[in-house]
Amino acid sequence: MERNLKNVLVISFGFLLLFTAYGGLQSLQSSLHSEEGLGVASLSVLYAALILSSMFLPPVLIKKLGCKWTIAGSMCCYIAFSLGNFYASWYTLIPTSVILGLGGAPLWSAKCTYLTIAGNSYAEKAGKNGKDIINQYFGVFFLIFQSSGIWGNLISSLIFSQASNKVEISEENLACCGAYDCMTDTTNTTGSAEPSNSLIYTLLGIYTASGVLAVLLIVMFLDQIKSDQAETEKEILETPSFWSTFLATFQQLKDKRQCLLIPLTMYSGLEQGFLAGDYTKTYVTCALGIHYVGYVMICFSAVNSLCSLLFGKISQFTGRKLLFGLATVTNTACIIALLLWKPHPKQIAVFFVFPALWGLSDAIWQTQTNGLYGVLFEKHTEAAFANYRLWESCGFVIAFGYSTKLQVYIKLYILLSVLVLSMVTYGVVEYLEAKSSPGTPPATKKENVGPVTQETHM
């Protein structure tokens, strides 16, 4: 096997193992640690730490440690979060959430840098176009990585389905599920009893072992960047000081198009935060039990992955405006239906319809918003995508931050309001683009954007 491809596969399977654990844990936080909102508070803190990490840490760590050891060290931050879940309290889960958040940005940046160097290195030897090889490597990475959402959630559902303390949920308790929830600890007030500590520890043990395997895989099998590639690495990392990068991020806000895209970017974080923090707890866990959370999130992950691939290809034929319209209609229909629907165990298929449609919409928000940023800010991509990470992470922080303070119906109205605002401001951006280049409609411009990572997976 060609050496660079081997390294790509090592990184891909390392991330697969790591995010099998983290993805499953994130889906369960609101249901597993619902006391005083500890689970969603930890996620809110985690994404707040990610914002700070994105601004300062990646260039410094990669320059000091190199890509390999930055990846390995950052993965250890994820293991710390798994360990914090063993004895979940405000004194264990919040600090480990901060640690994970700080490690998240360097992990993704080091991965992107490594794959870029590997692609350029192979292209130079083979006499091929560097961008083509890099895109192939990122394609291999995401093909393997995206399945982590399936495996992590499948493990949790299979383990929690072993619980012997399942009881029938009364109609009175079901009244506390859904949009007009009772603002109480639904995992305890409903008949769906919490899984035993032994099952929880078994799950956390598997997740921790998966993270440890990921680190070992990187340490033992990932090659360090060779000396003849040092110049390539130096070029990639030869960016202005992080203070300059920090300032460039906010100077980018002088572009009114960037300001107009803030609601759309924040909505991406808000809608994902709602599904992971509120839908899983107030609808699924409340009415069906915690062992169904994994199956529901598998449905979301599978549809999301398939639609990301599909919409990424068909956008060149349909244009982004039509796809944004489809996502808006689908999300709006879901929000209205969630406001009206009273979840009941007899309607089990409906619990999977919502995450499937949510996955379809999210695939459009991710692929098309990333593509839009790449087209609009082609000359300032670094500052533009720093803004993307910043405002999307803000959406996550807000969604998890108010999760225990507001009833679900209020959160759904907030989602709907931000969605409407997002489409209005997005429409203004398209109008400005059409006005500035009347001969070339924005939807048909060549979206020649480099590989983009879905930072939302952390």
Side-chain angles (χ1 to χ4, degrees):
M1 183 188 296
E2 197 272 320
R3 195 176 190 82
N4 284 315
L5 180 58
K6 184 268 290 184
N7 288 325
V8 171
L9 291 175
V10 169
I11 287 180
S12 301
F13 281 102
F15 271 67
L16 173 64
L17 287 167
L18 188 71
F19 283 86
T20 289
Y22 173 72
L25 266 180
Q26 178 178 259
S27 299
L28 292 169
Q29 285 301 300
S30 62
S31 300
L32 208 53
H33 310 306
S34 54
E35 304 84 1
E36 299 179 4
L38 173 59
V40 288
S42 70
L43 292 174
S44 186
V45 168
L46 189 157
Y47 280 97
L50 175 66
I51 294 173
L52 294 174
S53 172
S54 299
M55 291 177 181
F56 300 110
L57 289 181
V60 177
L61 286 181
I62 297 172
K63 195 170 286 186
K64 296 287 184 186
L65 303 177
C67 291
K68 174 179 177 176
W69 295 108
T70 299
I71 291 173
S74 298
M75 284 181 166
C76 292
C77 297
Y78 284 71
I79 297 173
F81 182 68
S82 295
L83 293 173
N85 275 266
F86 273 96
Y87 299 100
S89 72
W90 292 95
Y91 303 105
T92 57
L93 211 50
I94 299 301
T96 52
S97 296
V98 172
I99 292 170
L100 191 156
L102 293 176
L107 176 70
W108 284 94
S109 296
K111 181 270 299 178
C112 291
T113 303
Y114 196 104
L115 293 186
T116 302
I117 292 169
N120 284 329
S121 171
Y122 177 74
E124 190 177 339
K125 290 176 185 174
K128 296 183 178 179
N129 188 315
K131 186 181 288 186
D132 292 341
I133 302 299
I134 291 169
N135 282 328
Q136 286 176 25
Y137 283 177
F138 273 85
V140 170
F141 172 82
F142 277 107
L143 178 68
I144 296 169
F145 165 78
Q146 290 282 27
S147 67
S148 62
I150 296 173
W151 305 121
N153 288 307
L154 181 61
I155 290 169
S156 70
S157 285
L158 289 175
I159 288 177
F160 286 152
S161 64
Q162 305 300 312
S164 56
N165 56 351
K166 298 174 200 166
V167 290
E168 197 68 32
I169 303 173
S170 68
E171 293 295 327
E172 183 183 352
N173 285 327
L174 283 171
C176 280
C177 303
Y180 297 90
D181 59 317
C182 303
M183 289 293 289
T184 55
D185 184 355
T186 52
T187 54
N188 290 332
T189 57
T190 63
S192 125
E194 284 191 357
S196 65
N197 282 339
S198 63
L199 287 178
I200 294 174
Y201 291 151
T202 299
L203 177 66
L204 293 174
I206 292 172
Y207 282 164
T208 304
S210 182
V212 171
L213 281 175
V215 174
L216 292 176
L217 188 65
I218 296 298
V219 170
M220 294 173 66
F221 297 105
L222 185 66
D223 296 330
Q224 281 186 292
I225 293 170
K226 292 182 179 179
S227 55
D228 62 344
Q229 293 172 304
E231 286 301 313
T232 313
E233 183 184 29
K234 188 178 177 184
E235 285 172 18
I236 289 175
L237 296 174
E238 257 183 6
T239 56
S241 67
F242 58 73
W243 282 115
S244 301
T245 306
F246 177 78
L247 290 173
T249 300
F250 291 97
Q251 285 172 347
Q252 176 71 12
L253 293 173
K254 291 179 180 178
D255 189 328
K256 59 184 173 183
R257 297 172 303 170
Q258 177 69 74
C259 294
L260 287 167
L261 286 177
I262 289 175
L264 176 61
T265 313
M266 287 186 69
Y267 178 76
S268 175
L270 286 168
E271 55 94 5
Q272 291 175 82
F274 175 84
L275 189 77
D278 294 301
Y279 182 76
T280 53
K281 178 187 176 185
T282 317
Y283 289 86
V284 181
T285 300
C286 183
L288 296 179
I290 196 171
H291 57 289
Y292 268 96
V293 169
Y295 295 130
V296 164
M297 293 307 287
I298 286 171
C299 180
F300 169 77
S301 297
V303 173
N304 197 319
S305 297
L306 290 172
C307 288
S308 293
L309 184 65
L310 175 65
F311 293 135
K313 290 185 179 300
I314 69 170
S315 62
Q316 57 187 310
F317 304 109
T318 63
R320 60 177 176 258
K321 286 183 281 190
L322 189 64
L323 291 178
F324 273 128
L326 173 61
T328 303
V329 170
T330 305
N331 251 176
T332 301
C334 285
I335 291 169
I336 293 171
L338 285 170
L339 282 165
L340 300 174
W341 180 50
K342 290 300 294 180
H344 196 283
K346 291 180 180 177
Q347 304 167 326
I348 194 163
V350 183
F351 288 89
F352 291 88
V353 170
F354 284 109
L357 293 174
W358 213 272
L360 182 149
S361 300
D362 184 63
I364 295 175
W365 300 132
Q366 299 303 319
T367 58
Q368 299 309 305
T369 307
N370 274 306
L372 181 61
Y373 267 73
V375 171
L376 294 182
F377 312 114
E378 192 174 355
K379 295 179 181 177
H380 306 283
T381 52
E382 186 174 326
F385 281 109
N387 269 280
Y388 180 89
R389 289 193 298 270
L390 170 65
W391 296 113
E392 186 180 47
S393 296
C394 283
F396 274 105
V397 171
I398 293 168
F400 292 130
Y402 66 38
S403 183
T404 56
K405 309 299 181 186
L406 302 173
Q407 280 187 277
V408 173
Y409 79 92
I410 298 175
K411 287 177 258 189
L412 285 167
Y413 281 128
I414 292 172
L415 264 185
L416 189 58
S417 301
V418 177
L419 176 56
V420 171
L421 176 63
S422 299
M423 289 301 99
V424 170
T425 55
Y426 163 70
V428 174
V429 170
E430 290 287 13
Y431 171 76
L432 291 173
E433 278 296 282
K435 192 176 177 183
S436 64
S437 52
T440 311
T444 59
K445 284 184 182 178
K446 186 180 179 185
E447 301 199 5
N448 189 14
V449 193
V452 180
T453 61
Q454 287 196 31
E455 296 286 344
T456 53
H457 290 287
M458 274 291 297

